[in-house]
């Protein structure tokens, strides 16, 4: 592989115009496709194999035209102090609002609070439900504006009016913090590479790669039903790995220049060595992201595949576009150790032979490996403690900032009707084939009323055929509580008894039940996913490192870092530690897909650092150095770059903490803290300590396996032979000329 990539690097350097034109044309093509494509909405949230999804599908079948997936809004009214919503003036204002909303182009139904039981017992709060014929993200802007205008007209009459539901759902914004993250990355690149131009290359190529990836996702969003957050997560991961992969190739190019090689040769060797590491690091990320499909949640599968595609583009750009732009840069990209004049280049060095920070740190770890190992493991173990109290759920309006009308509507409904009113359960009774469907509906309602934690059970509402009915159930506790989850399980248990006695099927659905089923499905999939992804990557790393213990150490180190990161997420978003600093206005359960998503993404990124760092160590060992010295040598050449890459990735992920979307905000924080733990504790401390303790045993591989495994030559051993042969050919040509 090293030889092939070496030739690819030289070709890209030499034919830079062709390579650059190819990528510019690809970017333009993707951009044109994105410009002409309809805007992305929310991906349809289906959960195959769950009871909630089965009930949802049954509603679509038995209640045609009911727009089960249509957007909803609750317009919540509160009377001024000392008044009630039943006062004539307030009643007239509410009915004017209902009439105004009923005329909307996309509205299918508006309920009158005074006819549908929408007034609280104390008479101070009322609500009107609005149902639309299309999902929230597909609503015309005019429909949203009409909803807001109707609420504003009601406010003019003196009422407090807020709007809840998904009708006001908007595409999440990442905020200016993302730009700050890119700015931090630029500063780190300048410090690491010692040149403004050299620092600009990774940023430029990463932006090109993310541009192609995100534009392609946008172009295909409507066709493939990709959600609005898909492109945000793809850009988050693509930008981080794109900068890192480019940084490793540029750094290796400068190191090759420092050894006196010509620029084209240096580009070839950089791609042949660092590029090999990029390929395998990218493969681990792609495996982890594509592996999300085993969970069998379409939205998560699409997010993973889209992000994996962006990572693949980043790898290809690092192997081709980077050497091409290095060819354009020429002598303005300086050898390692030299800085541009603008950054202090050309000054005399006081201590030319002073070991760099990576050398000094590795030497310290090699001298005290056991102490460093214990400190790192205990520290991460302590950070992981909060993960033991992890509670899972999906965000609702109760997790919105208190400044939003959705959150204020949520609070008003809780005040007037109880916390469970914000998470009603929908029980679907399928009595098709029953001799007396109406009796079955009555029996189901009566048994549900007898359960604990039930505030209200509405009368059964049958369809036109009379064989299926829906029963609305209001829990006593808020949607994300354990009590509501227990109630869902109790209703399903009662439904099983009804089925045994009557043959009718009782199913529970609604947003709350769907959230519970999602959490359970993700929990059930976590272990198989870990086995698949870690197993495949373990086999891949055996091929890369030709060792059993090094990949095993890499996997165990990853588990430590991801558990510690989950602990930090729980501490901030569930317990409320540093919540003000992170912009968390409301603590609560952790998003259901957070653990499995973090496992996938963090594993891929963790293996990036493992491959980049340990391949350098193995390269030194393969070339004859003793194990301890090889660790020091590997750190001398790669610690600075790995550190810079980690800081860049942390900065990019941290930028997404400023997103308006709670899911993106939490993922940004989780990935940033996970990279911090993995890069600086696991890879920079635990890894060298373990390698120092293992010594030569770290590279042990059974002879039969050594013979069976392909030699991928990540360290570039074949390049030395290739260079020797090339040198011999040059000498022969000189002799012929003489």
């Amino acid at each position: 592989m090293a030889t092939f990539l070496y030739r690819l690097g030289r070709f890209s350097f030499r034919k830079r115009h062709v390579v650059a034109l190819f990528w510019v044309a690809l970017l333009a093509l993707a951009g044109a496709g994105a410009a002409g494509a309809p805007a992305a909405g929310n991906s349809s949230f289906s959960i195959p194999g769950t009871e909630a999804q089965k009930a949802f599908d049954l509603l679509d079948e038995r209640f045609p035209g009911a727009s089960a997936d249509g957007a909803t809004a609750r317009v919540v009214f509160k009377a001024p102090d000392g008044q009630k919503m039943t006062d004539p003036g307030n009643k007239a204002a509410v009915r004017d609002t209902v009439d105004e909303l009923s005329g909307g182009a996309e509205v299918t139904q508006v309920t009158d609070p005074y006819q549908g039981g929408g007034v609280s017992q104390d008479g101070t709060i009322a609500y009107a439900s609005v149902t639309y014929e299309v999902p929230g993200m597909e609503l015309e802007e005019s429909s949203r504006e009409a909803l807001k205008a109707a609420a504003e007209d009601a406010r003019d009459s003196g009422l407090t009016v807020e709007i809840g539901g998904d009708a006001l759902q908007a595409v999440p914004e990442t905020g200016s913090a993302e730009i700050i993250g890119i700015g931090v990355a630029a500063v780190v690149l300048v410090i690491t590479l010692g040149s403004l131009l050299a620092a600009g290359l990774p940023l430029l190529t990463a932006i090109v790669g993310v541009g192609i990836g995100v534009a392609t996702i946008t172009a295909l969003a409507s066709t493939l039903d990709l959600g609005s957050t898909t492109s945000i997560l793809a850009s988050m991961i693509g930008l981080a790995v794109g900068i890192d992969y480019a940084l490793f190739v540029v750094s290796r190019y400068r190191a090759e220049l420092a050894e006196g090689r010509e620029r084209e040769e240096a580009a070839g060797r950089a791609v042949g060595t660092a590029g090999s590491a990029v390929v395998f690091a990218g493969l681990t990320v792609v495996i982890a992201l594509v592996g999300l499909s085993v969970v069998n949640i379409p939205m998560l599968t699409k997010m993973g595949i889209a992000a994996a595609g962006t990572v693949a583009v980043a790898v290809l750009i690092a192997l081709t576009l980077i050497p091409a732009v290095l060819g354009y840069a020429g002598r303005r990209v300086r050898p390692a150790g030299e800085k541009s004049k603008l950054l202090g280049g050309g000054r005399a060095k006081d201590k030319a032979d002073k070991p760099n920070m990576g050398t000094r740190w590795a030497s310290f770890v090699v001298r005290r490996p056991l102490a460093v190992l214990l400190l790192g493991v205990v520290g991460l173990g302590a950070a992981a403690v909060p993960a033991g109290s992890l509670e899972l759920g999906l965000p609702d309006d109760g997790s919105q900032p208190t400044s939003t009308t959705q959150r204020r509507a949520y609070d008003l409904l809780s005040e007037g009707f109880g916390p469970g009113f914000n998470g009603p359960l929908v029980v679907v009774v399928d009595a098709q084939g029953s001799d007396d469907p109406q009796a079955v509906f009555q029996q189901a309602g009566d048994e549900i009323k007898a359960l604990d934690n039930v505030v209200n059970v509405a009368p059964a509402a049958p369809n036109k055929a009379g064989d299926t009915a829906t029963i609305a159930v209001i829990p006593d506790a808020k949607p994300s509580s354990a009590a509501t989850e227990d109630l869902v399980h109790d209703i399903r248990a009662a439904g099983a008894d009804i089925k045994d006695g009557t043959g009718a099927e009782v199913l529970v659905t609604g947003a709350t039940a769907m959230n519970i089923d999602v959490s359970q499905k993700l929990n059930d999939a976590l272990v198989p996913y870990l086995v698949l992804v870690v197993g495949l990557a373990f086999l891949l790393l055996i091929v890369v490192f030709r060792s059993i213990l090094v990949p095993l150490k890499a996997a165990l180190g990853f588990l430590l870092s991801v558990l510690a990161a989950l602990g930090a997420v729980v501490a901030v978003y569930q317990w409320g530690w540093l919540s003000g600093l992170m912009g968390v206005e409301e603590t609560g359960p952790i998003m259901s897909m957070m653990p499995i998503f973090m496992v996938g993404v963090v594993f891929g990124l963790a293996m990036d650092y493992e491959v980049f760092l340990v391949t350098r160590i193995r390269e030194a060992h393969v070339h004859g150095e003793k194990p301890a010295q090889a660790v020091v040598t590997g750190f001398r050449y790669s610690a600075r770059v790995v550190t810079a890459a980690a800081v860049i990735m942390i900065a990019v992920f941290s930028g997404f903490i400023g997103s308006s979307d709670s899911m993106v905000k939490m993922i940004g924080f989780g990935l940033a803290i996970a990279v911090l733990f993995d890069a600086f504790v696991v890879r920079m401390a635990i890894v060298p300590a373990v390698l120092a303790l293992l010594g030569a045993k770290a590279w042990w591989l059974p002879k039969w396996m050594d013979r069976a495994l392909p030699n991928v030559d990540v360290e570039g051993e074949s390049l030395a032979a290739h260079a020797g042969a090339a040198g011999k050919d040059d000498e022969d040509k000189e002799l012929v000329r003489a």
Side-chain angles (χ1 to χ4, degrees):
M1 174 180 282
T3 304
F4 168 75
L5 293 178
Y6 165 80
R7 291 171 180 162
L8 179 62
R10 293 194 64 166
F11 171 84
S12 300
F13 186 95
R14 189 167 56 252
K15 302 291 184 180
R16 61 188 74 108
H17 302 308
V18 175
V19 173
L21 183 62
F22 169 80
W23 284 109
V24 170
L26 196 59
L27 179 61
L29 183 64
N42 260 10
S43 176
S44 56
F45 194 74
S46 62
I47 314 294
T50 62
E51 180 174 315
Q53 185 63 45
K54 183 179 179 181
F56 190 83
D57 295 339
L58 186 65
L59 285 174
D60 274 346
E61 176 189 340
R62 303 285 175 84
F63 292 81
S67 300
D69 62 343
T72 59
R74 275 178 170 173
V75 183
V76 188
F77 308 88
K78 183 175 183 179
D81 290 343
Q83 299 182 24
K84 293 186 179 294
M85 290 304 305
T86 51
D87 293 346
N90 295 334
K91 200 170 185 178
V94 170
R95 286 192 162 150
D96 287 344
T97 304
V98 170
D99 292 340
E100 184 177 348
L101 289 170
S102 298
E106 296 177 298
V107 174
T108 59
Q109 184 182 13
V110 181
T111 61
D112 187 324
Y114 304 101
Q115 295 178 0
V119 181
S120 63
Q121 286 188 348
D122 63 5
T124 60
I125 295 174
Y127 74 92
S129 293
V130 186
T131 306
Y132 294 86
E133 61 187 19
V134 295
M137 293 301 293
E138 296 178 17
L139 273 180
E140 295 289 341
E141 191 59 34
S142 58
S143 295
R144 291 195 182 94
E145 291 303 322
L147 180 61
K148 294 176 184 176
E152 194 59 42
D153 291 342
R155 289 189 187 104
D156 292 340
S157 67
L159 296 173
T160 298
V161 186
E162 304 296 346
I163 306 171
D166 61 354
L168 293 184
Q169 199 168 28
V171 176
E173 300 174 356
T174 55
S176 59
E178 181 184 354
I179 299 174
I180 296 173
I182 296 176
V184 172
V187 172
V188 173
L189 286 169
V190 170
I191 295 172
T192 304
L193 299 176
S195 164
L196 293 174
L197 179 65
L201 297 183
L203 281 175
L204 173 65
T205 55
I207 290 171
V208 170
V210 169
I212 292 171
V214 171
T216 303
I217 291 169
T218 304
L220 299 175
S222 178
T223 304
L224 300 181
D225 190 26
L226 303 178
S228 56
T229 56
T230 302
S231 59
I232 294 178
L233 297 172
S235 66
M236 178 194 303
I237 296 168
L239 187 62
V241 300
I243 294 174
D244 279 7
Y245 294 165
L247 170 62
F248 281 107
V249 174
V250 172
S251 299
R252 189 59 185 252
Y253 171 76
R254 296 178 70 233
E256 296 294 337
L257 289 180
E259 294 183 12
R261 293 188 172 86
E262 293 296 326
R263 294 187 177 272
E264 184 177 327
E265 176 69 13
R269 284 180 167 272
V271 176
T273 52
S276 296
V278 165
V279 169
F280 282 99
L283 270 175
T284 59
V285 180
V286 169
I287 287 172
L289 291 171
V290 173
L292 291 170
S293 59
V294 304
V295 183
N296 196 27
I297 294 179
M299 184 184 76
L300 195 59
T301 299
K302 292 170 185 176
M303 286 167 55
I305 292 175
T310 308
V311 171
V313 170
V315 171
L316 293 174
I317 282 181
L319 300 178
T320 57
L321 187 57
I322 281 292
V325 295
L326 287 172
Y328 284 117
R331 297 185 179 278
R332 284 167 292 191
V333 175
R334 299 170 180 269
E338 294 186 18
K339 295 182 180 180
S340 64
K341 292 182 179 179
L342 182 63
L343 297 174
R347 297 177 186 174
K349 296 181 180 179
D350 297 331
K351 298 180 180 179
D353 298 329
K354 182 181 178 181
N356 63 19
M357 181 64 75
T359 302
R360 296 198 298 274
W361 170 250
S363 299
F364 170 79
V365 175
V366 167
R367 288 196 305 271
R368 299 174 178 82
L370 189 58
V372 172
L373 176 62
L374 289 175
L375 185 61
V377 171
V378 170
L380 290 178
V385 168
S389 62
L390 176 69
E391 296 177 8
L392 298 177
L394 286 177
D396 55 20
D397 284 348
S399 61
Q400 295 268 11
T402 52
S403 58
T404 63
T405 186
Q406 294 97 320
R407 172 59 189 278
R408 291 196 292 264
Y410 180 97
D411 291 340
L412 283 176
L413 288 172
S414 296
E415 177 187 338
F417 301 91
F421 196 79
N422 284 292
L425 304 175
V426 179
V427 179
V428 182
V429 184
D430 179 8
Q432 193 176 58
S434 173
D435 295 334
D436 189 356
Q438 191 60 44
V440 174
F441 301 154
Q442 185 65 42
Q443 179 185 351
D446 291 342
E447 292 201 18
I448 293 171
K449 286 179 183 177
L451 297 175
D452 294 333
N453 299 316
V454 174
V455 171
N456 184 54
V457 178
N463 62 350
K464 289 183 179 179
D467 59 4
T468 307
T470 60
I471 301 174
V473 180
I474 305 300
D476 184 43
K478 64 181 183 178
S480 59
S481 68
T484 300
E485 182 175 350
D486 291 340
L487 175 59
V488 170
H489 294 316
D490 291 343
I491 294 174
R492 287 173 174 170
D497 294 337
I498 293 173
K499 184 175 183 179
D500 292 339
T502 65
E505 192 167 19
V506 179
L507 306 171
V508 185
T509 189
T512 302
M514 187 72 81
N515 291 352
I516 292 169
D517 287 353
V518 169
S519 299
Q520 187 60 50
K521 192 175 182 69
L522 289 167
N523 285 339
D524 293 343
L526 185 57
V527 173
Y529 175 68
L530 265 174
V531 171
L532 174 69
V533 173
V534 177
L536 287 176
F538 181 77
L539 294 175
L540 183 65
L541 292 179
I542 289 177
V543 174
V544 174
F545 296 130
R546 307 192 74 79
S547 164
I548 298 292
L549 295 178
V550 170
L552 181 61
K553 163 203 54 78
L556 293 176
F558 151 73
L559 290 175
L560 267 176
S561 59
V562 79
L563 284 173
L566 276 175
V569 169
V570 170
V572 173
Y573 289 89
Q574 187 175 310
W575 291 1
W577 294 4
L578 302 177
S579 56
L581 182 63
M582 297 298 167
V584 181
E585 295 190 23
E586 182 70 20
T587 59
I590 303 304
M591 184 182 61
S592 298
M593 63 180 66
M594 189 70 184
I596 203 162
F597 189 82
M598 277 189 63
V599 165
V601 177
V602 174
F603 182 78
L605 301 180
M607 294 307 103
D608 277 3
Y609 300 119
E610 181 75 14
V611 170
F612 288 127
L613 189 61
V614 180
T615 49
R616 263 298 199 175
I617 296 172
R618 187 173 187 275
E619 184 177 341
H621 180 67
V622 165
H623 291 139
E625 292 189 10
K626 293 181 178 180
Q629 184 56 41
V631 171
V632 176
T633 301
F635 268 70
R636 179 167 73 247
Y637 289 114
S638 59
R640 178 184 177 90
V641 180
V642 169
T643 300
V647 172
I648 289 169
M649 203 170 276
I650 291 168
V652 171
F653 288 150
S654 296
F656 289 85
I657 297 174
S659 172
S660 61
D661 186 273
S662 59
M663 181 175 75
V664 176
K665 181 193 292 283
M666 189 180 295
I667 288 176
F669 172 80
L671 294 183
I673 199 72
V675 170
L676 176 69
F677 288 149
D678 194 86
F680 292 103
V681 181
V682 176
R683 309 303 154 189
M684 301 297 288
I686 293 177
V687 165
V690 171
L691 291 178
L693 287 170
L694 290 175
K697 295 176 183 177
W699 310 108
W700 172 79
L701 188 70
K703 291 183 179 180
W704 65 268
M705 189 178 289
D706 188 42
R707 290 191 299 269
L709 291 177
N711 186 8
V712 295
D713 189 23
V714 178
E715 297 80 17
E717 295 174 66
S718 59
L719 295 184
H722 183 275
K728 184 70 168 59
D729 290 342
D730 292 340
E731 290 177 9
D732 291 344
K733 290 176 183 178
E734 290 296 329
L735 288 172
V736 170
R737 292 194 189 99

